[in-house]
């Protein structure tokens, strides 16, 4: 494909005006709305066609591509067309130099352009056209010379052997006779429209007697006289256009008789002020094969009986835009082949109101289509349409027939004999349809009742007899229609039902649903009805439903999770849905299961709602989705958890005008997807998709969002998470150890002891001793020992208490020595009192130490009931904490719950081997 732009010198005047234009525009519209439309300065070349229109050029541009085949120089300032200016383009097939000021056609033009097929010179000032001017134009097939001042000299068209179309309209030609010699053998279409001759002479068209002219346009030619035989040279004529030529009825009938021997097929007689048709106007057409007659815009008032009796082969009669007052059974007499009768605006109001008499259409036994659009007629009776035995379509839309206000069984009974398929009663001011009113229309498949005032309960009887009906359109009936469970029982084949802006708000809140009898329904429109309440089973059984339109209702509550009894999942019965429209319903929630199973859905529209956060995977079953509209909601994030599936096959996405949050977690995935997608079209992406937050991106396009910043963040983020985790772990551990450390230790000990046993001392080690521990304590602490230590004794563990276990018959000293020797460990219950007790201090401690040293035993265990300074300890008992293994130093806990742990530790300390560790 070639696309070239060429710049030419522009006229100076418009150029200097440009700043002025811009200034005015600026003052009027403000700086933001001001877009000065730049003046075109060059020809536009594409596919070998050069378009140089409206460039104020005074000559053909010399620097267009040489190989162009088409050049449009119309609407410029050419004064002539010197062949030399066209020599660069010898391949031209089509040249348009219309709307210039050319006065002469240069003989060299067709020599320079030997291949030229089309020459358009309309709206110039060509005056004299001579024989030699076009003597080389043998390849020309189309010559448009309309709107010049032609004065033919000699035989200017004689060389045009290939010409098919000649247009010499609007040239003030005084005659239709373009030549006296036969020529233009290929001519098919001739336009003589808007010329001023008033007479067609016998031999005017004789120059065409070797051609096969098919189309003749003589619009607005004020013909008054037609000489007999004037059409004889062009008897091959099939289409004659006489629009706007005010000939009068008599001249028309003369015209028709002159056409008698022709092949006339199509006749346009529009805008001819044919006020009255008489019974012989068309008489001359009796022998023709006329199939199409257009009589529109004639202001026709009267059609005399039998006016059309001559047109037995007519298939189409157009009477649009007339003022006919009366149709009788004689009006259409003889139109026995007529298939289409177009009467749009043919019978309009005023005084008197037009009348269609009974049996007016009876002659039209072949009529298939009767169009009575925008007509106003006195009444429809029981016999108005009688005899239309082939009628398939009756269109009375936007008409005023009083009889239609209240349609009863009798209103349309005259159609009983018609195999009517389509009845259009749109906009006919119907207020009520009564039981059985359509019952005679047994073949009806389409019933149009839109834009009426129907105000009633549809009980179902109204549609009696419509067993074949597949479409009922009943939209725009002012929300005054009420339904019942039986409304549609008589139309079981219904496939298409529209009830938009027609229903009362509660009309469908029924059980069973009014739609239950319609298993074949594929299209249902309930939009614009303010419906707030429906039941979950509204669509039950509609397994074939494909299109469901629910926009402009009030479904928000039905889909709320807080709805009493849970959200109403009414779509679960219609799994073959392909289109769902729920715009403008105030929805702020979509239940997780609402769209489950809709795997055929191709279009989903939820625009103009209040949807904010979409639950993960609500769209996951929509894998056929092609169009998704979420425009004008409150969506901040387009997350893959929600949108990955629906966006995978999408052709069109509309999600603009939402308050997008342009942060990495909300927008990164979407922006990346938008950047990568090559199948989905997203209109207005640049200027309709704006960030709302964070502040830094406010009101900027989401496409400005820098995805790379998120990618750079990734390692830092990992590091951040890692380090913060470490810090938190540390803090928790420290706090745990500080406040619960004993507990941890306790359980650790239990664990260790369970697995390894209490003692690391060998079994033999214990055998040598009678006691496990000799307890040294101050006198005052004996009650503590009594309460806390003695209960620990059992078979495995035996303490030696001096008061209790003194060896009988020995001195106290002796007894102490003896018992110490028989104890595996020596346990000091350390309190301030003990340190002050001279007995203990002096003797027991010394002896104990002596024994320890003597037996090389690591056998001392200290239990602190009070916090005692190490200095005092060593001073009184000659012991330091550091001399002992940590496990042999115990503190009596302040907290009661720690007592078991203390016991545990004590048992461990007592179980330690006495052998000195190296
Ligand atoms: C005309 O010629 C140009 C090169 O000058 C070429 O690119 C273009 O394809 C040609 N167009 C036609 C319709 O032959
Ligand atoms: C008409 O066109 C053909 C090619 O289609 C060409 O050969 C012939 O020369 C043309 N006739 C004239 C008179 O230029
Ligand atoms: C035409 O109508 C006139 C009366 O208006 C009647 O006398 C005449 O017989 C009719 N001609 C035809 C052919 O119907
Ligand atoms: C119209 O319906 C009748 C039966 O009700 C049937 O016999 C006839 O063939 C139908 N005509 C058309 C054109 O469908
Ligand atoms: C529904 O349509 C199918 C197929 O077009 C047809 O066989 C069936 O009879 C229709 N059902 C009713 C109730 O008309
Ligand atoms: C879209 O792009 C992908 C790869 O990026 C490619 O495989 C696929 O054919 C493209 N589709 C269209 C319709 O261009
Ligand atoms: C969009 O794609 C282009 C290349 O196709 C790439 O250079 C750019 O970084 C992408 N932008 C984002 C936001 O992914």
């Amino acid at each position: 494909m070639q696309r070239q732009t060429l710049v030419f010198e522009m006229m100076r005047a418009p150029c200097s005006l440009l700043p002025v234009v811009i200034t005015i525009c600026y003052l009027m519209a403000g700086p933001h709305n001001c877009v000065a439309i730049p003046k075109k300065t060059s020809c536009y070349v594409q596919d070998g066609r050069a378009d140089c229109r409206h460039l104020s050029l005074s000559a053909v541009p010399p620097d267009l591509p040489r190989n162009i085949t088409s050049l449009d120089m119309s609407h410029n300032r050419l004064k002539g067309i010197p062949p030399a200016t066209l020599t660069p383009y010898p391949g031209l097939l089509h040249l348009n130099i219309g709307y210039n000021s050319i006065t002469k056609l240069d003989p060299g033009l067709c020599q320079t352009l030997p291949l030229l097929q089309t020459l358009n010179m309309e709206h110039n000032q060509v005056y004299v056209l001579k024989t030699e001017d076009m003597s080389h134009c043998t390849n020309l097939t189309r010559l448009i010379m309309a709107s010049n001042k032609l004065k033919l000299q000699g035989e200017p068209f004689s060389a045009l052997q290939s010409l098919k179309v000649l247009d010499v309209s609007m040239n003030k030609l005084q005659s239709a006779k373009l030549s006296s010699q036969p020529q233009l053998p290929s001519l098919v279409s001739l336009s003589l429209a808007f010329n001023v001759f008033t007479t067609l002479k016998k031999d005017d068209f004789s120059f065409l007697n070797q051609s096969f002219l098919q189309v003749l346009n003589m619009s607005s030619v004020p013909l008054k006289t037609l000489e007999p035989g004037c059409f004889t040279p062009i008897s091959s004529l099939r289409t004659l256009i006489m629009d706007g030529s005010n000939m009068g009825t008599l001249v028309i009938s003369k015209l028709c008789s002159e056409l008698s021997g022709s092949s006339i097929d199509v006749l346009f007689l529009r805008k001819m002020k044919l006020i009255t048709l008489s019974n012989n106007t068309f008489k001359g057409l009796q022998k023709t094969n006329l199939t199409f007659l257009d009589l529109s815009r004639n202001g026709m008032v009267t059609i005399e009986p039998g006016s059309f009796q001559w047109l037995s082969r007519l298939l189409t009669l157009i009477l649009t835009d007339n003022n006919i007052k009366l149709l009788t059974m004689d009006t259409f007499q003889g139109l026995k082949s007529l298939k289409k009768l177009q009467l749009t605006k043919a019978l309009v109001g005023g005084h008197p109101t037009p009348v269609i008499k009974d049996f007016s259409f009876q002659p039209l036994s072949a009529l298939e289509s009767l169009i009575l659009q925008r007509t106003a007629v006195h009444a429809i009776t029981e016999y108005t349409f009688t005899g239309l035995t082939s009628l398939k379509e009756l269109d009375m839309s936007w008409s005023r027939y009083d009889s239609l206000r209240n349609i009863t069984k009798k209103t349309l009974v005259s159609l009983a004999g018609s195999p009517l398929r389509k009845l259009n009663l749109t906009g006919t001011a119907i207020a009520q349809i009564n039981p059985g009113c359509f019952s005679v229309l047994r073949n009806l498949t389409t019933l149009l009742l839109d834009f009426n005032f129907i105000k009633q309960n549809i009980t179902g009887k109204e549609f009696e007899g419509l067993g074949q009906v597949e479409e009922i359109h009943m939209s725009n009936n002012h929300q005054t229609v009420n339904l019942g469970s039986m409304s549609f029982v008589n139309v079981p084949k219904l496939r298409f039902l529209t009830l938009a802006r027609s229903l009362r708000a509660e009309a469908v809140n029924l059980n069973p649903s009014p739609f239950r009898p319609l298993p074949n329904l594929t299209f249902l429109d309930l939009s614009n009805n303010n419906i707030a309440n429906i039941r979950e089973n509204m669509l039950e059984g509609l397994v074939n439903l494909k299109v469901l339109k629910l926009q402009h209702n009030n479904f928000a509550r039905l889909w709320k999770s807080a709805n009493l009894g849970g959200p109403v999942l009414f779509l679960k019965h219609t799994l073959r849905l392909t289109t769902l429209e729920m715009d403008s319903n105030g929805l702020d929630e979509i239940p997780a299961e609402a769209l489950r199973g809709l795997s055929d859905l191709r279009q989903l529209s939820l625009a103009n709602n209040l949807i904010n956060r979409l639950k993960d995977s609500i769209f996951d079953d929509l894998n056929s989705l092609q169009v998704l509209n979420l425009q004008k909601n409150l969506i901040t994030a387009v997350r893959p958890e929600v949108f990955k599936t629906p966006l995978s096959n999408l052709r069109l996405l509309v999600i603009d005008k939402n308050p997008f949050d342009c942060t990495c977690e909300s927008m990164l995935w979407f922006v990346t997807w938008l950047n990568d997608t090559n199948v989905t079209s997203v209109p207005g992406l640049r200027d309709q998709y704006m960030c709302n937050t964070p502040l830094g991106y406010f009101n900027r396009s989401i496409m400005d969002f820098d995805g790379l910043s998120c990618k750079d963040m990734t390692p830092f983020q990992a590091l951040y998470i890692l380090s913060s985790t470490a810090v938190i772990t540390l803090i928790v551990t420290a706090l745990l150890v500080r406040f619960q450390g004993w507990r941890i230790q306790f359980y650790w000990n239990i664990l260790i002891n369970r697995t390894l046993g209490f003692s690391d001392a060998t079994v033999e080690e214990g055998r040598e001793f009678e006691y496990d521990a000799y307890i040294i304590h101050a006198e005052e602490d004996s009650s503590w020992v009594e309460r806390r230590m003695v209960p620990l004794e059992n078979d495995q563990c035996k303490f030696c208490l001096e008061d209790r276990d003194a060896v009988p018959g020995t001195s106290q000293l002796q007894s102490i020595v003896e018992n110490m020797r028989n104890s595996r460990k020596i346990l000091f219950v350390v309190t301030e009192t003990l340190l002050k007790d001279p007995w203990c201090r002096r003797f027991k401690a010394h002896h104990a130490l002596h024994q320890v040293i003597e037996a090389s035993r690591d056998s001392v265990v200290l239990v602190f009931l009070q916090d005692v300074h190490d200095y005092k300890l060593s001073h009184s008992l000659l012991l330091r904490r550091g001399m002992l293994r940590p496990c042999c130093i115990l503190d009596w806990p302040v907290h009661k719950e720690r007592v078991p742990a203390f016991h545990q530790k004590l048992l461990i300390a007592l179980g330690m081997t006495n052998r000195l560790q190296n």
Side-chain angles (χ1 to χ4, degrees):
M1 196 175 289
Q2 174 196 16
R3 221 171 210 281
Q4 268 175 297
T5 308
L6 298 124
V7 183
F8 298 106
E9 198 177 28
M10 242 175 62
M11 288 299 295
R12 286 210 180 93
C15 189
S16 57
L17 274 176
L18 205 61
V20 181
V21 171
I22 291 174
T23 313
I24 293 168
C25 171
Y26 190 95
L27 290 173
M28 286 174 67
H32 301 297
N33 303 336
C34 192
V35 182
I37 297 162
K39 189 149 173 58
K40 204 169 80 168
T41 60
S42 59
C43 297
Y44 176 74
V45 182
Q46 188 178 16
D47 295 341
R49 291 192 297 268
D51 176 358
C52 303
R53 289 174 298 170
H54 296 284
L55 290 174
S56 304
L57 300 171
S58 49
V60 175
D63 47 1
L64 297 166
R66 282 188 65 81
N67 59 4
I68 52 167
T69 56
S70 174
L71 172 61
D72 188 347
M73 289 292 300
S74 62
H75 300 275
N76 279 293
R77 300 177 178 202
L78 304 182
K79 293 216 166 67
I81 182 94
T85 60
L86 290 164
T87 39
Y89 317 113
L92 273 185
L93 302 175
H94 311 285
L95 176 63
N96 186 348
I97 46 176
Y99 293 89
N100 281 285
S101 310
I102 299 165
T103 53
K104 192 176 178 313
L105 182 57
D106 197 294
L109 183 74
C110 286
Q111 269 177 312
T112 313
L113 304 174
L115 306 176
L116 199 64
Q117 291 174 5
T118 307
L119 176 60
N120 187 344
M121 290 188 72
E122 65 184 310
H123 220 289
N124 277 287
Q125 291 156 16
V126 180
Y127 184 53
V128 179
L129 202 58
K130 296 196 288 275
T131 310
E132 58 270 28
D133 290 348
M134 289 194 284
S135 60
H136 298 284
C137 296
T138 45
N139 277 348
L140 213 56
T141 58
R142 253 178 101 86
L143 176 60
I144 313 296
M145 299 291 288
S147 198
N148 280 282
K149 301 170 176 170
L150 285 186
K151 192 163 164 46
L152 308 180
Q153 282 186 1
E155 306 287 340
F157 304 122
S158 60
L160 305 179
Q161 296 291 310
S162 313
L163 200 70
K164 291 193 170 121
V165 178
L166 175 62
D167 183 351
V168 288
S169 57
M170 283 199 228
N171 271 288
K172 298 208 171 80
L173 292 178
Q174 303 289 334
S175 163
K177 187 172 186 170
L178 303 181
S179 167
S180 50
Q181 290 169 11
Q183 49 194 252
L184 297 169
S186 308
L187 200 68
V188 171
S189 171
L190 172 64
S191 177
L192 292 164
F194 295 92
N195 281 300
V196 294
F197 54 90
T198 54
T199 307
L200 270 189
K201 294 210 181 76
K202 190 171 183 294
D203 59 350
D204 274 355
F205 289 125
S206 60
F207 69 100
L208 291 173
N209 69 3
Q210 289 175 355
S211 59
F212 292 91
L213 193 73
Q214 302 211 343
V215 182
L216 177 61
N217 187 347
M218 292 201 290
S219 300
S220 297
V221 175
L223 279 181
K224 292 282 173 273
T225 318
L226 288 94
E227 286 187 2
C230 59
F231 288 119
T232 313
I234 50 169
S235 59
S236 56
L237 193 68
R238 292 175 57 91
T239 301
L240 178 61
I241 305 161
M242 300 298 303
D243 301 347
S245 53
N246 301 327
M247 316 164 83
T249 321
L250 277 179
V251 186
I252 291 175
S253 38
K254 178 75 176 133
L255 175 85
C256 291
S257 19
E258 288 310 317
L259 287 169
S260 181
S262 70
S263 312
I264 192 78
D265 177 29
V266 176
L267 184 55
F268 288 93
L269 299 172
R270 295 174 289 197
K271 282 171 78 178
M272 294 180 73
K273 301 195 178 143
L274 244 179
I275 309 295
T276 304
L277 276 190
S278 77
N279 69 2
N280 52 22
T281 307
F282 299 124
K283 187 175 178 187
L285 295 170
Q286 187 177 11
K287 294 208 187 79
T288 65
N289 273 336
L290 196 74
T291 61
F292 180 99
L293 177 60
D294 190 340
L295 292 167
S296 51
R297 299 204 268 164
N298 270 300
M300 190 184 294
V301 177
T302 311
I303 302 176
E304 280 186 8
S307 292
F308 299 111
Q309 62 182 303
W310 323 106
L311 306 176
S312 60
R313 299 192 179 89
L314 200 67
L315 299 177
T316 305
L317 176 60
I318 300 183
L319 288 164
T320 304
D321 274 308
N322 279 299
N323 200 9
I324 301 165
K325 289 293 171 197
L326 178 65
L327 296 182
T328 68
M329 59 187 298
D330 296 321
T331 306
F332 299 116
Q333 183 201 327
L335 290 170
K336 57 181 202 266
S337 304
L338 200 69
K339 287 196 183 315
K340 177 163 182 166
L341 178 57
Q342 171 61 274
L343 287 167
T344 298
K345 289 205 252 173
L347 305 109
V348 290
H351 285 288
T353 311
V355 174
I356 300 180
K357 289 261 175 157
D358 290 352
F359 306 108
S360 284
F361 300 107
Q362 196 163 34
L364 307 175
S365 56
L367 197 70
E368 294 179 356
S369 174
L370 174 57
I371 313 296
L372 284 162
Q373 251 183 47
R374 297 181 192 276
T375 51
V377 170
H378 183 61
I380 295 175
T381 72
E382 284 164 65
Y383 304 103
T384 301
F385 299 112
T386 305
L388 289 167
T389 51
S390 303
L391 196 68
K392 292 195 177 131
E393 179 188 10
L394 175 58
D395 183 347
M396 294 194 275
S397 59
W398 306 107
S399 294
R400 264 195 303 118
Y401 296 178
D402 289 347
S403 330
L404 290 178
R405 192 148 298 160
N406 187 1
I407 305 182
T408 66
K409 249 181 164 157
K410 288 188 177 161
T411 312
L412 299 169
V413 75
S414 59
L415 290 162
S418 310
L420 200 67
R421 308 291 292 271
K422 181 174 177 181
L423 176 61
N424 190 343
L425 295 174
T426 303
T428 46
I430 301 170
Q432 179 140 12
I433 50 177
N434 289 290
C437 64
F438 302 116
S439 60
V440 297
L441 309 176
R442 303 227 165 245
N443 297 76
L444 202 69
T445 59
T446 305
L447 177 60
L448 306 178
L449 295 168
D450 297 324
F451 293 98
N452 281 297
F453 299 89
I454 300 174
K455 180 178 185 178
Q456 69 184 86
N457 285 328
I458 303 288
T459 63
K461 295 220 168 72
E462 298 81 359
F463 298 134
E464 250 167 24
L466 297 182
Q468 300 299 314
V469 157
E470 296 178 0
E471 291 191 27
I472 293 180
H473 297 242
M474 237 171 100
S475 291
N476 292 293
N477 272 287
H478 298 265
Q479 298 180 341
T480 45
V481 174
N482 216 353
L483 299 180
S485 292
M486 307 290 277
S487 292
F488 301 108
V489 281
N490 284 315
V491 286
K493 285 197 172 169
L494 206 63
R495 291 188 297 108
F496 198 100
L497 176 61
T498 74
L499 291 163
R501 210 188 295 275
S502 283
L503 296 180
R504 293 182 183 282
E506 287 294 320
V508 291
N509 189 18
L510 299 169
N511 195 17
S513 159
F515 311 118
R516 193 74 185 85
L518 306 175
N520 280 1
L521 201 66
T522 57
F523 186 107
L524 178 59
D525 185 351
L526 296 174
S527 60
N528 292 280
N529 283 315
N530 287 335
I531 298 172
N533 293 317
I534 61 162
R535 300 176 184 228
E536 194 158 53
N537 65 4
M538 177 177 80
L539 304 174
E540 194 176 349
L542 304 188
V543 289
N544 291 308
L545 197 67
K546 294 215 160 21
V547 178
L548 179 59
K549 303 176 83 146
L550 297 172
Q551 62 269 40
H552 292 280
N553 280 297
N554 219 338
F555 278 49
R557 181 186 59 76
L558 297 168
W559 268 7
K560 277 191 201 295
S561 46
N563 183 39
L564 207 64
V568 181
L569 305 176
F570 57 92
L571 295 173
K572 67 181 178 189
H573 306 288
T574 55
L575 297 180
R576 292 171 71 183
L577 223 51
T578 60
T579 300
L580 174 62
E581 294 179 10
M582 287 190 70
D583 318 55
S584 303
N585 264 285
L587 297 174
D588 53 2
E589 258 185 84
I590 300 177
E593 299 298 311
L595 304 171
R596 203 51 75 209
L598 300 179
S599 57
D600 289 347
L601 200 67
R602 277 186 246 137
Q603 295 195 27
L604 174 61
S605 194
L606 291 163
N608 271 306
N609 282 297
L610 303 167
I611 297 165
N612 172 8
R613 226 190 125 68
L614 289 162
K615 296 189 180 71
D616 287 358
S617 67
I618 48 165
F619 296 142
D620 271 12
D621 287 358
L622 313 185
N623 37 33
S624 305
L625 206 63
Q626 295 185 351
V627 179
L628 175 60
N629 188 342
L630 284 164
Q631 190 185 49
K632 291 193 192 161
N633 275 286
L634 300 174
I635 293 167
T636 53
V638 181
R639 297 174 300 128
E641 294 81 358
V642 181
F643 286 96
K644 199 165 196 279
T645 309
L647 295 194
S648 59
N649 280 323
L650 216 60
R651 294 289 135 82
L652 176 65
L653 174 66
V654 184
I655 191 174
D656 55 321
K657 304 201 178 73
N658 276 289
F660 293 113
D661 172 39
C662 292
T663 57
C664 290
E665 70 246 313
S666 301
M667 228 15 77
L668 176 62
W669 180 83
F670 184 44
V671 171
T672 312
W673 178 86
L674 284 170
N675 201 21
D676 291 347
T677 185
N678 54 359
V679 281
T680 309
S681 119
V682 187
L685 185 55
R686 268 274 144 218
D687 43 10
Q688 302 295 321
Y689 288 69
M690 295 298 176
C691 301
N692 189 50
T693 50
L695 211 55
Y697 277 110
F698 178 73
N699 224 6
R700 286 173 61 190
S701 166
I702 60 167
M703 293 314 279
D704 290 347
F705 175 71
D706 183 11
L708 289 175
S709 66
C710 300
K711 294 195 179 89
D712 291 346
M713 280 293 291
T714 322
F716 291 112
Q717 218 163 8
L719 211 65
Y720 170 74
I721 291 170
L722 214 69
S723 56
S724 51
T725 312
V727 167
I728 288 170
T729 314
L730 216 67
I731 292 172
V732 168
T733 313
L735 289 174
L736 215 62
V737 169
R738 171 70 184 80
F739 293 106
Q740 298 290 328
W742 60 272
R743 210 187 283 278
I744 296 166
Q745 207 179 357
F746 172 43
Y747 291 120
W748 175 250
N749 288 339
I750 287 181
L751 188 74
I752 293 296
N753 298 338
R754 292 263 158 84
T755 45
L756 301 176
F758 263 115
S759 166
D760 69 343
T762 51
V763 184
E764 296 83 47
E765 203 179 316
R767 294 251 171 82
E768 310 161 19
F769 304 103
E770 191 178 337
Y771 303 106
D772 286 277
Y774 182 90
I775 295 176
I776 301 171
H777 60 84
E779 196 65 43
E780 286 167 37
D781 299 325
S782 55
S783 71
W784 181 86
V785 171
E786 204 70 33
R787 274 189 296 117
R788 298 292 176 190
M789 301 297 287
V790 175
L792 295 178
E793 282 187 315
N794 55 25
D795 291 351
Q796 312 283 304
C797 178
K798 210 162 178 310
F799 297 131
C800 179
L801 299 173
E802 196 52 52
D803 302 341
R804 189 186 67 183
D805 302 319
V807 181
T810 54
S811 72
Q812 194 183 4
L813 265 169
Q814 200 102 49
S815 167
I816 288 170
V817 170
E818 192 68 18
N819 279 340
M820 275 194 188
R821 189 175 295 131
N822 279 333
S823 299
R824 211 159 61 82
K825 298 270 179 185
I826 295 160
L827 189 149
F828 288 85
V829 177
V830 184
T831 58
E832 295 279 353
T833 333
L834 181 76
L835 303 186
K836 287 185 192 123
D837 187 333
W839 178 248
C840 284
R841 244 168 58 184
R842 298 275 153 69
F843 183 73
K844 287 189 184 167
H846 273 104
H847 186 77
L849 281 178
H850 171 76
Q851 185 162 341
V852 167
I853 292 158
E854 183 189 59
S856 308
R857 282 196 289 150
D858 188 7
S859 58
V860 173
V861 172
L862 300 182
V863 173
F864 290 91
L865 296 193
Q866 290 168 342
D867 193 15
V868 172
H869 200 275
D870 210 27
Y871 162 75
K872 280 190 190 163
L873 196 66
S874 75
H875 184 73
S876 316
L877 300 183
L878 310 173
L879 276 170
R880 287 174 197 279
R881 282 186 173 90
M883 291 160 65
L884 306 180
R885 284 198 278 176
C887 67
C888 296
I889 301 167
L890 290 93
D891 290 294
W892 173 245
V894 186
H895 301 287
K896 219 172 176 170
E897 73 266 22
R898 297 193 184 188
V899 171
F902 170 80
H903 286 158
Q904 191 69 26
K905 276 190 194 168
L906 183 66
L907 293 177
I908 290 166
L910 295 179
M912 278 287 146
T913 179
N914 285 350
R915 299 234 168 75
L916 276 171
Q917 312 281 307
N918 299 323

